[in-house]
């Protein structure tokens, strides 16, 4: 398909993109889609190939193209793309700290170490409560020692496949975000500040390439 949606207005264009993705999900056929719109390529493609003067410069997933540009040309090409629409939570999530309800708050603080918080899960592995280091320290200072009385149940959750921009609001709360699978079981944890750190890393990587002049 060569520039199939280039002449359409933005609303119809997005609707046609949605329709194409729906058809592909049912037919599971390989589609070669040519476009000059990088945002369209990143939205539609499982694999993206960037050409320059008829030569292949880089082939990769949308996330690889954005976060690991092969050279200055690709870096220049992707510099204005909204990273949050492309990068998955799974790229920076890490194993969650699991807390047992039998632990005291002091023991929980030792278990957390340098992490901001940890989770309590039910017997099926679903998170039921979260303890932040700040809440634990405040409770201990007031004489509370029991974990159950300090656990939060208002924590946010996401999935490894979710995009960064799906989690901006939750990250704004400044507390760990539970990463769960389709069954709701805890598979990891996302620290809010790591979203901005990863986006900053990509920006620095792009800025680090020597800029090329394109005529």
């Amino acid at each position: 398909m060569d520039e199939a949606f280039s002449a359409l207005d933005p609303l119809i264009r997005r609707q046609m993109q949605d329709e194409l993705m729906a058809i592909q999900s049912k037919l599971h056929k390989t589609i070669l889609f040519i476009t000059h719109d990088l945002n369209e390529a990143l939205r539609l493609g499982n694999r993206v190939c960037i050409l320059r003067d008829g030569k292949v410069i880089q082939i990769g997933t949308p996330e690889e193209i954005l976060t690991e540009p092969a050279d200055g040309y690709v870096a220049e090409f992707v510099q204005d793309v909204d990273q949050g629409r492309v990068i998955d939570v799974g790229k920076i999530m890490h194993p969650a700290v699991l807390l047992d309800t039998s632990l005291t708050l002091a023991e929980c603080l030792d278990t957390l170490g340098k992490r901001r918080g940890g989770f309590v899960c039910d017997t099926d592995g679903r998170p039921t409560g979260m303890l932040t280091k700040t809440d634990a320290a405040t409770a201990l200072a007031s004489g509370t020692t029991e974990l159950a009385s300090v656990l939060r149940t208002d924590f946010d959750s996401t999935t490894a496949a979710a995009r960064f921009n799906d989690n901006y609001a939750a990250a704004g709360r400044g507390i760990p975000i539970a990463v769960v699978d389709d069954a709701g079981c805890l598979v990891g944890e996302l620290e809010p500040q790591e979203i901005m750190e990863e986006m900053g890393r990509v920006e620095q990587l792009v800025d680090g390439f020597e800029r090329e002049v394109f005529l």
Side-chain angles (χ1 to χ4, degrees), residues 36-103:
H36 285 85
D37 185 336
L38 181 59
N39 283 305
E40 182 171 64
L42 296 176
R43 182 166 190 258
L44 294 178
N46 301 109
R47 303 279 291 176
V48 177
C49 175
I50 295 182
L51 301 174
R52 183 185 187 188
D53 298 329
K55 297 180 180 180
V56 174
I57 303 300
Q58 184 172 359
I59 299 176
T61 65
E63 186 171 314
E64 289 169 346
I65 296 293
L66 180 60
T67 63
E68 302 172 21
D71 61 12
Y73 176 78
V74 180
E76 190 84 19
F77 210 63
V78 304
Q79 67 173 333
D80 294 324
V81 173
D82 179 4
Q83 301 168 25
R85 294 175 52 241
V86 178
I87 304 177
D88 292 340
V89 166
K91 181 175 179 61
I92 62 169
M93 76 178 211
H94 45 71
V97 176
L98 297 179
L99 301 173
D100 191 283
T101 53
S102 64
L103 296 176

Side-chain angles (χ1 to χ4, degrees), residues 16-26 43-44:
M16 293 303 295
Q17 291 171 353
D18 290 339
E19 186 66 23
L20 178 62
M21 289 189 290
I23 292 173
Q24 198 279 335
S25 67
K26 294 177 181 178
R43 182 166 190 258
L44 294 178

Side-chain angles (χ1 to χ4, degrees), residues 135-154:
D135 289 345
T138 300
L140 281 172
S142 66
T144 301
T145 59
E146 294 183 0
L147 170 60
S149 63
V150 190
L151 283 177
R152 290 172 174 256
T153 58
D154 62 342

Side-chain angles (χ1 to χ4, degrees), residues 172-195:
R173 300 180 62 196
I175 59 177
I177 301 169
V179 183
V180 299
D181 60 18
D182 292 339
C185 297
L186 188 68
V187 295
E189 174 187 321
L190 177 64
E191 289 283 354
Q193 77 276 10
E194 291 179 348
I195 293 179

Side-chain angles (χ1 to χ4, degrees), residues 7 21 32 48 74 103 108 118 121 132 188 192 196:
M21 289 189 290
L32 179 61
V48 177
V74 180
L103 296 176
C108 287
C121 295
T132 68
M196 301 311 299

